[in-house]
Amino acid sequence: MTTTSQESFLRAFHAELPAVTADAFGSARSADGRSSYEILCDRVVGSRRVLDLGCGDGLLLELLARTEGRRLAGVDLSPEAVALARRRPGLGGATVLEGRAQDLPFPDGSFDACVSHMALMLMGDVEQVIAEVVRVLSPGSTLACVIGAVGGEAYDLFLGLLRAAIQTAPAARRVPALGDRRTRSREGLDSLLGPAGFTPVDWETVALDLSGPPEQVWAAMSGIYDVGPLHPRTVASLREAFFERVEGLAKPSGVIPCGMKVHVATARLA
């Protein structure tokens, strides 16, 4: 699938759900109590000029803005997500633009860090993305990304039901292939970043807890891209089947256990 077609799908999806990623992961916590967004913040703690690549509704930028004196910028394909980010009260001094990662609207050497939460893995023409990131970073800068991995408990149950639903859906109701698979593994990222001048990738796998009441867990799970193209009747049937099956996982408190592992990749520009 072409980069243009991928981006058309992402724009349409996020026009309907501009804050979907933050809604799903904003309250998810690792064993030490940090969210995946906070983990990214800690990877660039000493950086003063930070770019958020695929900034969505601005949650990560708002967390970064808690450090005074920073110059922040964000870029996202979705005009609806950008509009939400610009309305965040903590981002009055940030530059938040609608744009493509393959053609960043910033001068050379503008930043000393680039962060990306669940976004780099969705981008086509990734060599051009990395070339642009290198261009706008100064020597010694940090690139830190959160990359989606695998789930557990209710997440696995949901994915099994979703796969069955997708198998019976017509091709027009299936999510297109997104991104470049090399961005989803340490070896793949090294093969992309090394030739561009980055140090070997530091790779950490972090378990996140998305547990909660059934409705909360469903809301987090059903926001993934694969659900977007499905017919509303299919989604309704998927929801019904999920609620029936997930009862068997419920704790006495009514909480449904749901976990997901993400990878946190960090590299430094030599």
Side-chain angles (χ1 to χ4, degrees):
M1 187 174 187
T2 66
T3 299
T4 301
S5 300
Q6 292 174 342
E7 290 176 0
S8 295
F9 171 82
L10 290 168
R11 281 194 182 96
F13 183 93
H14 288 287
E16 297 293 328
L17 298 168
V20 63
T21 307
D23 287 345
F25 290 95
S27 61
R29 291 292 181 269
S30 63
D32 63 13
R34 293 180 297 167
S35 70
S36 50
Y37 294 96
E38 291 167 331
I39 291 171
L40 274 188
C41 289
D42 289 344
R43 292 300 177 95
V44 297
V45 68
S47 302
R48 310 301 296 177
R49 303 173 298 152
V50 186
L51 169 65
D52 186 353
L53 199 65
C55 65
D57 73 330
L59 175 58
L60 178 54
L61 283 171
E62 191 170 57
L63 294 174
L64 289 164
R66 292 177 179 176
T67 298
E68 293 185 8
R70 271 183 166 154
R71 184 165 68 82
L72 300 174
V75 173
D76 200 276
L77 273 177
S78 168
E80 292 82 6
V82 167
L84 290 179
R86 287 174 175 167
R87 289 200 292 269
R88 285 188 178 268
L91 296 183
T95 301
V96 185
L97 302 174
E98 178 187 348
R100 304 177 67 245
Q102 296 85 355
D103 186 21
L104 292 173
F106 304 105
D108 297 1
S110 296
F111 305 99
D112 52 29
C114 176
V115 292
S116 186
H117 186 279
M118 304 285 278
L120 180 66
M121 65 187 198
L122 303 173
M123 297 175 184
D125 196 5
V126 70
E127 288 94 345
Q128 178 60 24
V129 173
I130 292 168
E132 278 292 274
V133 169
V134 170
R135 181 183 65 79
V136 301
L137 290 179
S138 58
S141 295
T142 298
L143 171 65
C145 305
V146 166
I147 300 162
V150 296
E153 296 102 5
Y155 195 93
D156 287 340
L157 171 61
F158 171 79
L159 287 182
L161 295 170
L162 177 60
R163 291 190 191 102
I166 291 172
Q167 286 176 357
T168 62
R173 291 285 184 177
R174 298 181 186 182
V175 66
L178 297 173
D180 188 312
R181 294 207 64 82
R182 289 174 293 176
T183 61
R184 298 172 183 259
S185 70
R186 182 177 191 170
E187 296 75 18
L189 271 179
D190 273 331
S191 74
L192 291 165
L193 296 177
F198 284 92
T199 60
V201 171
D202 177 76
W203 187 262
E204 180 185 5
T205 301
V206 178
L208 298 175
D209 185 5
L210 290 85
S211 302
E215 285 285 357
Q216 178 181 316
V217 173
W218 165 258
M221 300 298 95
S222 61
I224 68 173
Y225 292 111
D226 300 80
V227 176
L230 296 176
H231 193 281
R233 287 196 300 270
T234 303
V235 177
S237 296
L238 177 62
R239 182 183 186 279
E240 182 179 359
F242 177 76
F243 275 81
E244 288 178 357
R245 295 280 300 277
V246 84
E247 287 183 2
L249 298 177
K251 297 179 179 179
S253 62
V255 169
I256 305 299
C258 182
M260 182 179 182
K261 291 181 179 178
V262 297
H263 303 306
V264 185
T266 311
R268 188 171 295 275
L269 186 61

